[in-house]
Amino acid sequence: MVLAYLCLSLADDSIRILHSCVFGDDTIDNEMQRYTRKVNLRSVTSRVHAEYSFRTSCKVKEEYQLSSDDKGIGIVEKGVFRLLAGDPFPVDTAVVWLATAQHCAYALVCLLDDNCLLADNVLQVIAKSTYDNILRDNPPAEILLKPEKMAAIIHQFLPNGQLLFMNHKLVKQYEKQLDSTLTAKH
């Protein structure tokens, strides 16, 4: 099960969480628990940004070429890293992340027994849907202005934090359902 989803901006040196969603943690009772959750997400965000910065600083600057698994969103970097128990979550977790040419990074915090390849595929589908529905010809900060669209995208492709195995036909069907959901809200 996915513990958390994060979307962050890579446009400048400051780290900014554009959208986040925590799954399976519906028992937030007080401000201290809310603050702890915010600090945990900030910790993951900082680590993703550090991984991205390290990988891009080590690369030779060259013209970006789309790969076959890119899905047309311009994936610049992607990776996986492990967080030990207590740093910041109570159990060992794996963080699957990808960065796009639109200066956005997407991350899923998963349990260690989750399928990281499946998580990567789901992240790519979410990134493509975000690009198609929000970011096309817009800056990454546009995500802040459309939280209902982001929530609909996350609910469609990552319902309750469950990783879904989706072939291209199912993705197309889910995209049609998402389009009808988004047009119904307007």
Side-chain angles (χ1 to χ4, degrees):
M1 181 176 159
V2 174
L3 299 177
Y5 159 81
L6 293 162
C7 177
L8 57 131
S9 173
L10 300 172
D12 52 11
D13 288 338
S14 66
I15 304 167
R16 186 172 191 183
I17 296 176
L18 300 174
H19 190 267
S20 67
C21 188
V22 177
F23 302 101
D25 191 17
D26 299 331
T27 60
I28 299 293
D29 292 334
N30 59 32
E31 283 296 316
M32 189 59 179
Q33 289 174 328
R34 191 171 292 123
Y35 176 75
T36 302
R37 183 170 76 180
K38 192 176 196 180
V39 168
N40 290 350
L41 294 179
R42 198 61 141 146
S43 172
V44 172
T45 302
S46 298
R47 181 79 184 270
V48 168
H49 189 266
E51 290 276 331
Y52 170 76
S53 297
F54 175 73
R55 287 177 184 229
T56 55
S57 69
C58 293
K59 263 191 168 175
V60 176
K61 302 293 182 200
E62 58 188 45
E63 197 62 33
Y64 179 71
Q65 307 237 343
L66 294 178
S67 65
S68 61
D69 67 337
D70 199 358
K71 297 190 183 2
I73 55 173
I75 296 173
V76 177
E77 282 292 336
K78 62 182 180 177
V80 178
F81 59 86
R82 182 177 177 182
L83 295 173
L84 298 175
D87 182 32
F89 295 95
V91 296
D92 286 354
T93 56
V95 177
V96 180
W97 64 275
L98 65 85
T100 65
Q102 293 82 29
H103 302 291
C104 282
Y106 302 86
L108 292 178
V109 180
C110 308
L111 297 174
L112 283 184
D113 59 349
D114 282 335
N115 184 337
C116 288
L117 289 174
L118 182 58
D120 180 58
N121 184 50
V122 170
L123 262 185
Q124 288 182 38
V125 169
I126 290 171
K128 182 183 181 311
S129 185
T130 302
Y131 176 75
D132 290 343
N133 291 298
I134 300 173
L135 292 179
R136 188 179 306 271
D137 301 325
N138 291 316
E142 188 73 16
I143 293 172
L144 292 171
L145 301 175
K146 300 185 176 158
E148 68 285 344
K149 283 188 176 184
M150 277 305 298
I153 291 168
I154 298 303
H155 178 73
Q156 186 69 47
F157 296 111
L158 194 64
N160 297 320
Q162 295 297 314
L163 292 172
L164 301 175
F165 179 78
M166 299 178 281
N167 62 13
H168 68 283
K169 288 185 179 184
L170 185 59
V171 169
K172 292 233 182 266
Q173 178 184 348
Y174 280 177
E175 286 172 346
K176 287 180 184 177
Q177 289 175 355
L178 179 65
D179 286 341
S180 66
T181 301
L182 294 177
T183 56
K185 287 186 177 184
H186 292 300

